[in-house]
Structure formats: C-alpha cells, structure tokens
Amino acid sequence: DGYVVVARSDSRKITTPAAEPLPEPDPVALDGAAHVTDGGAVVLEWGTCSSEVFAGYKIVRSANDDPSYLPGTDGSVVLENRESATFTTFTDTTVEPGQTWFYRVQCIGWMNGHKILLGQTDVLSVTLPS
C-alpha cells in the first residue's frame, strides 16, 4: 500500500551557533540647510552619508519643532525615502504659505537584519511668507 523502509540511519542533531551581531556603527553627522524658492517651495540640501551600511535617506516634515523618526508622531510626515547615497537635495512643493515648517533628513542603515538610524540633520526650520 505504499512505501517500504529498506534501511534507516540514526539522525543527528546539529546546532549552529547564531552569528554575533555586528556592533552599531558610529553616528553619522549630516550637515543640512533649507531655503525657500521664489515660487514658494522649500529646498533641502544635506551632506552625503558615508556609512558602509547605508540603506537610504528619509525626509521628514512637521508643523511641530521636532520632526520624528517615526511617521505620524507629533504630526510628522515622511515626504520621501531615497536609496541613493548621492541623493542630497529635495524640493517640497506641498507646503502652504504663511506657516513655519520643520524638517529633518535622516540617514538610515540596514544592519543585523533591521533598519537603524545612522544619523540626521539638526532640525531645519523654514517660514514661508504669506
């Protein structure tokens, strides 16, 4: 009615030790600047992230003076995720005049199977004229 066992061997348990996680890299300093164009857009510029575990940049905007790493925290919105280390400028055309906006550019890395914050700019504030 099916299979016939002709011979068998004993099974052996093999245990492979887990790999040691790599140590967190030193924080990356990102210089940043923001300015308003004649057309009312906000232009952000920052230095290149030099980490070997670079995965991308995250651009965050908030009406609060401390844009958070996590979207939705205190009104923070992720405007862009970019995976190119040479991408060092972003133009926000979705802002309303007459308000102050706060931005932060974050350098994200991939390490030990998860994303980590490698570094970020200081908060960049811009007040748009009415």
Side-chain angles (χ1 to χ4, degrees):
D1 188 54
Y3 300 98
V4 176
V5 175
V6 179
R8 73 175 190 87
S9 63
D10 292 333
S11 62
R12 292 187 176 149
K13 181 178 180 180
I14 298 174
T15 304
T16 307
E20 288 291 320
L22 297 171
E24 297 278 327
D26 291 332
V28 174
L30 284 181
D31 293 328
H35 66 275
V36 179
T37 67
D38 291 340
V42 175
V43 177
L44 306 175
E45 298 173 310
W46 60 93
T48 303
C49 183
S50 59
S51 176
E52 292 178 7
V53 296
F54 173 84
Y57 294 112
K58 183 183 282 191
I59 296 100
V60 182
R61 179 187 71 206
S62 179
N64 181 321
D65 65 356
D66 188 19
S68 174
Y69 173 72
L70 301 171
T73 305
D74 297 328
S76 294
V77 175
V78 175
L79 298 174
E80 188 83 34
N81 285 302
R82 286 289 176 104
E83 296 177 359
S84 171
T86 60
F87 173 78
T88 58
T89 185
F90 174 79
T91 303
D92 184 4
T93 59
T94 64
V95 288
E96 296 177 24
Q99 256 187 293
T100 299
W101 295 100
F102 301 90
Y103 295 86
R104 185 171 269 150
V105 179
Q106 300 163 332
C107 178
I108 307 297
W110 185 261
M111 187 170 207
N112 298 321
H114 63 278
K115 289 182 178 180
I116 60 172
L117 178 62
L118 296 169
Q120 60 189 358
T121 63
D122 289 336
V123 175
L124 307 169
S125 66
V126 176
T127 301
L128 280 84
S130 298

